[in-house]
Amino acid sequence: MTTSFRRNTRLGLAGSGIATVLATAALVAPLAHADATQRVAVEGSDHQAGCSYTITAVNVVGYSSSDSGADVTFYDNGTAIGTVEVPAIGTTTTTWRPGAAGQHELTAKVVGIGTRWIVPTTVTVSPSTGTGSAACGLPSFSG
């Protein structure tokens, strides 16, 4: 009889452990990247520290969607770099100026009807190659 009681107690504890793991997974799940059509894109290539770039939350546009008017916060390695409102028409963008060379994971969070994360992109940033206005290249005047 003691053996049966211990076995049932172990099963009960094991079941509690599994329930805890599942509950934790359910709490973390809303942070998962849910919509693969929405992603973060960065203009340009050969990104350098100290230069400015436009980053876009792709497919997070207003038009007639429920995202119109929602707040989108952009992040660089988990640090917020700007919050903008999804426009009624157009694209959701902000300016990004990486402060240091290295790997940067850029993502965004949309807070509207619900909260969801946008699929991130990873950008390798090089150290600045110059000083002053020439460090980030010359502007393009072609149209």
Side-chain angles (χ1 to χ4, degrees), residues 59-83:
N59 290 330
V60 180
V61 295
Y63 301 106
S64 62
S65 78
S66 61
D67 286 330
S68 184
D71 283 337
V72 177
T73 302
F74 290 88
Y75 295 86
D76 177 1
N77 289 337
T79 301
I81 55 175
T83 299

Side-chain angles (χ1 to χ4, degrees), residues 12-24:
L13 291 175
S16 295
I18 292 170
T20 301
V21 170
L22 293 175
T24 302

Side-chain angles (χ1 to χ4, degrees), residues 25-114:
L27 291 173
V28 175
L31 300 178
H33 305 291
D35 187 347
T37 65
Q38 295 180 333
R39 61 185 173 79
V40 174
V42 183
E43 76 167 334
S45 60
D46 301 323
H47 303 96
Q48 294 182 33
C51 297
S52 293
Y53 304 95
T54 298
I55 58 175
T56 303
V58 177
N59 290 330
V60 180
V61 295
Y63 301 106
S64 62
S65 78
S66 61
D67 286 330
S68 184
D71 283 337
V72 177
T73 302
F74 290 88
Y75 295 86
D76 177 1
N77 289 337
T79 301
I81 55 175
T83 299
V84 295
E85 185 177 293
V86 176
I89 296 176
T91 58
T92 307
T93 63
T94 195
T95 300
W96 170 58
R97 176 176 272 173
Q103 295 288 316
H104 292 260
E105 182 183 70
L106 302 173
T107 192
K109 179 173 67 172
V110 181
V111 179
I113 292 174

